[in-house]
Amino acid sequence: MKIIKTISRHPHGSEDLVSFQIPASAGTTNFMKYIPVIGLEIHVELKTASKMFCQCSADYFAKPPNSNTCPVCLGMPGALPVPNETAVNWTMKIGKALNCQLASLSKFDRKHYFYPDLPKGYQISQYVEPIAVNGYLKLKGKKFRVQRVHLEEDTGKLIHSGKDTLVDFNRSGVPLVEIVTEPDFDNSNDVKEFLQELHTIIKYLDVSDADMEKGSMRLEPNISVRVCHPGLDPGSQKDSLVHENDKLPLPPYKVEVKNINSFNFVKKAIDYEVKRHLEILEKGETPIQETRGFVEADSSTKSQRSKEETHDYRYFPDPDIPPLSFSADYLSATVGSLPELPAAKTNRFIKKFGLKEADAFLLTRDKEVAGYFEKCLTLVKGSRIVEDLPQKLANAILNKRVTLNLGPDKFVQSVVELYKPKATDMEKLDAAVKSVLAKNQSAVEEYKKGKERVIMFLVGQVMREMKGQADPLKVKKELAGKLKR
Amino acid sequence: MKLFGKSLLELKKLVTQKEVSAPEVSSYFRKRIAKYNGVLNAFLSVVAEDGGLPIGVKDNFCTRGVRTTASAKVLDDFIPPYESTVTDRLKKNQLTVIGKTNMDAWAHGSSTETSDYGPTKNPWDTTRAPGGSSGGSAAAVSAYLAPAAIGSETAGSIRQPASWCGVVGLKPTFGRVSRYGVVAMGSSFDCPGPITATVEDAAFILGLIAGRDRYDATSSPRPVPDYLSSLAERRKLTVGVAEEYFDSVNVEVKAAVEKAVEIFQKLGHRVKKVRLLSPKYSISVYTVLQRAEVSSNLARYDGIRYGGSRAFFAAEAKKRIMLGAYTLSYGYYDAFYKKAQKVRTLIIKNFKEIFNDVDVIISPTAPITALKLGEFEKYPFFGEVMDILNEPAAVAGIPAVNIPCGTDTNGLPIGLQIMGNYFKEETLLSLAYQFEKETEFFGVIKKGIENYKDD
């Protein structure tokens, strides 16, 4: 069988493995089509002052082992969890920012499994009634659904040293938000963009460091590849599957990849996995359902544990924590307290300040930078010295033409200085124009033949001759005048 | 100063009047423990610490710096670095833990025979069980090895041993007293409560330990009434009697409780027959839910951070863990746990309706009086059956109190239980107090300590 790779162009120009077609049998026009099916689980540690169910500090980073613990987060006999209200509130904010429905009644459940970093033998999590459900994030016209946003507690950490394994419970009980998407992704670029947008949103909400290196944001893609049989499978008629996914049966397996600590690695892990699955599927086999670990060194993945022994977590409502109920007032106050989110800010920058879309997008990736930009604008309100000042400020910020270490007032001054029309010595200009025209006869010829763009080259030459001490608009005008003659 | 038989409040008064000092009282009880504990095995450890008045505390309450085992070898060497809220509040109110009392291991049982440290003997007849799981606390009070004690109940573990040992035992409303620092058994049922020789002592202790605790999310924020002074209000109540609670009850027990009903009438209370859901439904609900919670609560004893390995778990705990894990398993959850929760809701509803008509419901505490040691092994669900009359209140989370109401022909105490509406402990205590004043519990308390004289 011959594989014909069909390539789709991604909006950003990169080439993706989106679908493969191979003849199902010789002599027929039936083609099998392979489409990656990817869902995401994202864990975000909240930066609340205290842990999820006790009063220990949630800031455990770089503290001496087991110094940040108490009977509750050590799961000692008789110790009881009391939920952290701020963590609940922040989880709602994340849910709302992802367009979820917020629950008016939410519960904590116990999720049982044995592991040395889990002191109670169960993790307090949310199973049946999470804080937020049924959301989505729209990116470039595509809608990626968010199944749920729930709150749980982080575990301790195992440190393997020689033959020994040590346990550090400093992290045990730190509030952890889990965001689960529907398997709506079919390529690694969309995944990367989604995650970057999510990361930006979390940073805007100011609820987590979302630092992947430190593990305060963890990315786990679930990957499988769907085999579509044209004619049998209604879904295969469509190329865009995002909104049709529910109608298609999911592949009979999925592979979860862990140990990923950057957006680029997520992309690499997915690409590696999709290729691996294709090779297996092509042999007529089904990949094993398992958990794999990403290997940075060669951007591959390695099997960690097979999911043959599927966990039975024996979930049940935690009897130590009464159900949480939220009044309509509380919910609307929480929603009302959300900051302007990155997508909305981008749109506003485009509409209000006339920025180019790409620049508005880049400026809003960091709330601080966007804020700096707006602060600068308030300082030059109504200024007509420089034309299209917002865009020029944006350029100056994005191209780092002026250092951002300056206070906004100084920064604005420097930008205005940079772009304000220069006083032009008309005598010198005249001489320079003549000299440039004389030296560049071929350009002049081209111009006269109708290639008018050449004038910009000539403007550049004049500006150089004038050592920059001229208003480029005036230079252009002067050149145009001379060339017409 | 003769201290023998004095109630906690009487001792408190003597200390206030400087007739005796608190350390003298503690020392007196330590001598009594030294003398009688060898026979009774009511205490697992004695605390050589003077402070306030002594009180016995069940060994599933964490006490800072004092070994806490829940009578389980898994926790044989466990010394908590923290204090349970109940013992913390006792200490802040000038009471000192004199010792930790024996119990069924992990509170799994109704006879104190599943203790990994040997059974406690019933002071009334040392060939008999004291009931359980708070058997050590009940026996200690009954034999006057402590003027009062703290027990804990999941379903019957305060009331039933109080009944078998002939003392007062109060199970408060779920959430009235903090569970923080109590080795968890069935978390949605567990209630700490006092075991005492007088109703006044029970009211006094409840007043100390009740109330909102920031360390227990299920503790109630309701204000705590002054239980002690409300005893004086001789309220006239409507007393409900439900036939369902007299099925398969021993005739002597039944007769004693019926006699108590007459006394309530004589005291001017209105007695009303009511229909309640059969207690047998509570057995099923309780068995399923409690096992599920046990299987989860015992998961932390993995021997990694403290305590012994899981090999130390004895048969009863293992059975409960297995049964609980099974009912929570995928595919079984709906058939067992979820269904049990639905029936639990019906039982709650049933009680709420009944309490529109009556103030309290009375019934025997246990269907029979104290059994011989070793009997429990003959029944696979011994505790559940023995606690049948205690389980409805536990499942619903309502308060209930055991008071002695006579003795049978074997000379063993019989207990009467009064169940009340949510957070109406003062109503139960008021009725119990009126009964005590009228009958002096038919001399049961006095008779209980007769064999345990000073010299």
Side-chain angles (χ1 to χ4, degrees):
Chain A
M1 269 196 261
K2 195 186 169 207
I3 301 178
I4 305 153
K5 186 179 171 195
T6 63
I7 292 165
S8 85
R9 280 205 82 77
H10 189 266
H12 284 235
S14 61
E15 291 178 358
D16 301 315
L17 297 173
V18 167
S19 59
F20 284 72
Q21 292 185 331
I22 53 171
S25 59
T28 72
T29 52
N30 271 353
F31 283 87
M32 294 247 268
K33 207 170 173 197
Y34 293 108
I35 297 150
V37 179
I38 306 157
L40 304 172
E41 281 175 33
I42 303 112
H43 284 93
V44 177
E45 262 182 1
L46 298 180
K47 57 171 185 182
T48 45
S50 57
K51 288 187 180 179
M52 187 58 227
F53 297 112
C54 63
Q55 294 169 315
C56 291
S57 169
D59 180 14
Y60 62 88
F61 198 71
K63 291 201 174 149
N66 298 309
S67 62
N68 187 40
T69 58
C70 74
V72 176
C73 56
L74 286 175
M76 301 288 268
L80 297 171
V82 179
N84 180 332
E85 196 185 332
T86 306
V88 171
N89 189 265
W90 286 4
T91 307
M92 284 182 169
K93 287 187 181 185
I94 294 175
K96 194 63 208 174
L98 298 175
N99 304 295
C100 289
Q101 294 160 250
L102 300 183
S104 55
L105 186 89
S106 186
K107 277 182 187 162
F108 285 100
D109 296 291
R110 294 184 179 181
K111 177 184 181 179
H112 300 85
Y113 63 94
F114 274 109
Y115 208 66
D117 65 8
L118 189 68
K120 296 188 293 297
Y122 59 84
Q123 179 190 31
I124 304 176
S125 180
Q126 297 194 292
Y127 184 54
V128 184
E129 292 172 271
I131 287 173
V133 292
N134 295 338
Y136 63 87
L137 208 51
K138 267 188 191 157
L139 291 171
K140 306 236 155 48
K142 289 190 200 170
K143 191 170 173 182
F144 300 102
R145 292 168 301 163
V146 173
Q147 192 191 84
R148 57 193 281 139
V149 177
H150 77 240
L151 186 53
E152 57 191 29
E153 55 179 342
D154 212 341
T155 61
K157 246 182 186 172
L158 295 185
I159 298 143
H160 304 283
S161 108
K163 275 197 287 181
D164 297 323
T165 296
L166 306 167
V167 201
D168 178 4
F169 289 105
N170 281 350
R171 193 180 70 178
S172 173
V174 168
L176 195 61
V177 170
E178 182 172 330
I179 300 157
V180 183
T181 77
E182 296 289 353
D184 283 352
F185 300 89
D186 61 12
N187 70 78
S188 58
N189 278 316
D190 284 353
V191 168
K192 191 177 162 189
E193 267 186 65
F194 178 94
L195 290 172
Q196 282 171 330
E197 182 72 10
L198 177 65
H199 184 259
T200 308
I201 290 171
I202 303 279
K203 296 293 277 184
Y204 263 60
L205 296 175
D206 200 22
V207 296
S208 171
D209 292 332
D211 184 330
M212 279 161 287
E213 286 288 328
K214 285 186 186 170
S216 54
M217 184 169 180
R218 296 166 221 162
L219 319 169
E220 283 151 28
N222 280 283
I223 305 151
S224 51
V225 173
R226 173 182 286 139
V227 184
C228 298
H229 300 272
L232 296 171
D233 192 339
S236 63
Q237 305 298 322
K238 309 233 180 204
D239 277 327
S240 167
L241 289 153
V242 167
H243 302 287
E244 301 294 328
N245 275 349
D246 276 351
K247 293 176 193 160
L248 296 174
L250 287 170
Y253 75 97
K254 65 179 178 184
V255 172
E256 186 176 340
V257 185
K258 291 182 180 280
N259 303 346
I260 301 176
N261 64 359
S262 84
F263 299 129
N264 281 329
F265 291 157
V266 174
K267 182 174 158 46
K268 285 180 175 166
I270 292 172
D271 290 344
Y272 179 87
E273 275 302 301
V274 168
K275 192 161 165 268
R276 193 178 68 83
H277 297 194
L278 283 170
E279 281 162 10
I280 296 168
L281 288 167
E282 207 207 321
K283 284 187 236 162
E285 293 164 13
T286 305
I288 301 167
Q289 172 135 334
E290 61 183 341
T291 301
R292 297 176 72 90
F294 182 68
V295 184
E296 243 178 85
D298 60 354
S299 296
S300 67
T301 66
K302 206 171 117 189
S303 182
Q304 282 185 336
R305 67 183 146 90
S306 154
K307 278 213 173 163
E308 307 263 300
E309 355 75 77
T310 314
H311 267 128
D312 183 348
Y313 292 120
R314 305 193 308 276
Y315 283 104
F316 80 104
D318 193 330
D320 290 332
I321 308 171
L324 310 171
S325 70
F326 309 105
S327 67
D329 284 352
Y330 181 82
L331 290 177
S332 60
T334 303
V335 172
S337 71
L338 284 186
E340 183 183 34
L341 294 170
K345 209 183 268 293
T346 305
N347 282 334
R348 185 166 60 82
F349 280 13
I350 295 168
K351 289 209 178 92
K352 191 169 168 193
F353 306 125
L355 296 190
K356 288 180 203 151
E357 188 180 342
D359 292 339
F361 179 81
L362 289 173
L363 261 190
T364 51
R365 292 312 89 190
D366 183 331
K367 192 165 70 165
E368 303 299 317
V369 173
Y372 187 88
F373 169 73
E374 290 210 72
K375 176 83 183 154
C376 288
L377 279 182
T378 58
L379 292 171
V380 291
K381 218 174 175 184
S383 165
R384 297 256 174 243
I385 308 166
V386 176
E387 246 181 277
D388 200 10
L389 186 58
Q391 181 65 53
K392 293 211 166 64
L393 271 171
N395 291 345
I397 290 171
L398 294 171
N399 302 332
K400 305 215 164 51
R401 289 193 63 174
V402 181
T403 173
L404 284 171
N405 294 336
L406 294 175
D409 48 344
K410 293 256 170 62
F411 185 85
V412 168
Q413 272 177 22
S414 311
V415 173
V416 167
E417 202 56 45
L418 191 67
Y419 287 105
K420 105 176 152 193
K422 302 284 186 299
T424 313
D425 183 326
M426 291 310 285
E427 264 178 44
K428 275 190 186 164
L429 177 61
D430 194 49
V433 166
K434 276 178 186 157
S435 151
V436 165
L437 288 178
K439 280 185 210 159
N440 295 282
Q441 274 304 317
S442 61
V444 172
E445 288 306 313
E446 275 183 50
Y447 181 83
K448 284 182 174 165
K449 277 180 196 156
K451 211 173 173 187
E452 295 194 357
R453 269 191 303 151
V454 173
I455 197 163
M456 290 318 290
F457 164 74
L458 296 169
V459 169
Q461 295 300 309
V462 174
M463 288 302 287
R464 196 197 230 174
E465 196 107 333
M466 300 284 289
K467 296 196 170 68
Q469 293 305 305
D471 177 355
L473 283 174
K474 276 190 181 152
V475 174
K476 192 180 169 191
K477 207 175 150 197
E478 202 69 17
L479 272 168
K482 288 246 164 42
L483 284 167
K484 263 182 199 157
R485 268 183 254 139
Chain B
M1 180 88 256
K2 203 167 171 296
L3 301 179
F4 185 69
K6 298 262 189 266
S7 75
L8 183 66
L9 282 170
E10 284 167 345
L11 292 169
K12 188 170 176 266
K13 199 173 166 195
L14 291 176
V15 170
T16 311
Q17 292 167 345
K18 297 209 170 13
E19 302 270 344
V20 65
S21 73
E24 277 165 0
V25 175
S26 287
S27 148
Y28 168 79
F29 281 100
R30 275 199 293 271
K31 273 182 208 148
R32 288 187 57 76
I33 293 169
K35 186 168 177 185
Y36 292 114
N37 198 52
V39 182
L40 296 175
N41 196 27
F43 283 91
L44 294 181
S45 52
V46 178
V47 183
E49 182 192 306
D50 285 332
L53 285 168
I55 186 164
V57 172
K58 191 177 180 180
D59 204 32
N60 57 347
F61 287 79
C62 287
T63 37
R64 192 199 308 270
V66 176
R67 178 175 175 247
T68 299
T69 67
S71 287
K73 277 273 162 69
V74 173
L75 291 178
D76 192 47
D77 57 359
F78 178 59
I79 297 173
Y82 54 99
E83 192 76 46
S84 75
T85 297
V86 166
T87 50
D88 185 54
R89 289 183 177 174
L90 293 175
K91 285 178 179 183
K92 284 180 176 143
N93 286 283
Q94 286 75 52
L95 288 166
T96 299
V97 179
I98 189 165
K100 304 292 290 290
T101 59
N102 199 6
M103 56 188 280
D104 282 291
W106 306 110
H108 298 167
S110 299
S111 67
T112 317
E113 288 171 282
T114 69
S115 168
D116 288 348
Y117 301 98
T120 295
K121 312 288 168 50
N122 191 319
W124 288 71
D125 174 352
T126 53
T127 67
R128 291 179 187 271
S133 67
S134 309
S137 288
V141 174
S142 170
Y144 204 56
L145 303 191
I150 296 292
S152 71
E153 209 183 279
T154 307
S157 279
I158 288 173
R159 288 170 282 162
Q160 185 258 9
S163 167
W164 281 15
C165 290
V167 290
V168 176
L170 173 67
K171 171 212 132 43
T173 309
F174 179 82
R176 180 72 294 182
V177 179
S178 168
R179 293 180 294 120
Y180 184 81
V182 185
V183 178
M185 207 267 256
S187 307
S188 70
F189 303 88
D190 292 350
C191 291
I195 294 177
T196 58
T198 67
V199 174
E200 278 184 323
D201 280 1
F204 169 64
I205 294 170
L206 180 64
L208 302 184
I209 61 178
R212 177 76 177 161
D213 176 17
R214 62 193 292 223
Y215 297 110
D216 179 358
T218 62
S219 65
S220 170
R222 279 169 182 260
V224 178
D226 185 343
Y227 297 112
L228 197 52
S229 53
S230 70
L231 291 181
E233 300 165 19
R234 300 203 134 223
R235 287 179 52 204
K236 295 287 173 269
L237 303 169
T238 306
V239 178
V241 181
E243 245 175 56
E244 294 78 5
Y245 285 65
F246 289 84
D247 291 345
S248 57
V249 166
N250 169 284
V251 283
E252 288 189 73
V253 173
K254 199 173 166 185
V257 174
E258 281 165 354
K259 195 175 158 205
V261 172
E262 287 167 23
I263 291 165
F264 287 130
Q265 276 172 321
K266 191 183 139 202
L267 289 168
H269 302 291
R270 199 162 74 89
V271 173
K272 190 177 174 185
K273 283 206 166 170
V274 291
R275 294 299 309 269
L276 275 170
L277 281 176
S278 165
K280 71 179 181 190
Y281 298 115
S282 292
I283 297 188
S284 309
V285 169
Y286 173 70
T287 305
V288 170
L289 298 181
Q290 180 254 99
R291 299 299 195 271
E293 292 176 11
V294 162
S295 75
S296 174
N297 286 332
L298 294 185
R300 69 187 60 193
Y301 303 106
D302 52 15
I304 292 177
R305 284 143 294 139
Y306 53 85
S309 83
R310 288 191 279 167
F312 287 95
F313 276 115
E316 184 64 24
K318 283 192 215 169
K319 273 192 271 180
R320 293 189 186 209
I321 291 168
M322 281 190 276
L323 200 62
Y326 176 78
T327 59
L328 289 177
S329 296
Y330 186 78
Y332 295 96
Y333 178 84
D334 285 358
F336 294 106
Y337 188 89
K338 208 168 172 185
K339 199 170 199 175
Q341 283 290 30
K342 284 183 183 166
V343 180
R344 185 178 204 174
T345 305
L346 293 177
I347 292 167
I348 290 169
K349 208 173 137 232
N350 185 231
F351 272 117
K352 281 186 173 167
E353 284 164 6
I354 294 295
F355 285 122
N356 288 330
D357 295 340
V358 298
D359 296 303
V360 295
I361 298 158
I362 62 164
S363 83
T365 301
I368 49 172
T369 54
L371 278 175
K372 291 272 186 189
L373 289 163
E375 285 286 303
F376 92 104
E377 282 176 349
K378 297 178 188 164
Y379 309 95
F381 287 93
F382 173 82
E384 283 62 34
V385 176
M386 211 36 64
D387 293 339
I388 179 168
L389 303 175
N390 304 147
E391 276 151 12
V395 166
I398 56 172
V401 65
N402 171 77
I403 50 173
C405 68
T407 49
D408 68 3
T409 44
N410 289 326
L412 297 169
I414 297 169
L416 161 85
Q417 78 165 331
I418 308 169
M419 293 175 270
N421 207 349
Y422 294 92
F423 298 99
K424 292 289 182 194
E425 283 82 357
E426 68 267 39
T427 310
L428 310 185
L429 291 168
S430 165
L431 190 64
Y433 186 65
Q434 291 175 43
F435 186 83
E436 182 186 12
K437 289 291 123 185
E438 177 69 20
T439 63
E440 285 192 351
F441 297 139
F442 302 99
V444 168
I445 302 287
K446 277 201 181 102
K447 195 167 172 243
I449 59 176
E450 250 170 32
N451 295 326
Y452 301 91
K453 295 239 168 70
D454 280 339
D455 270 310

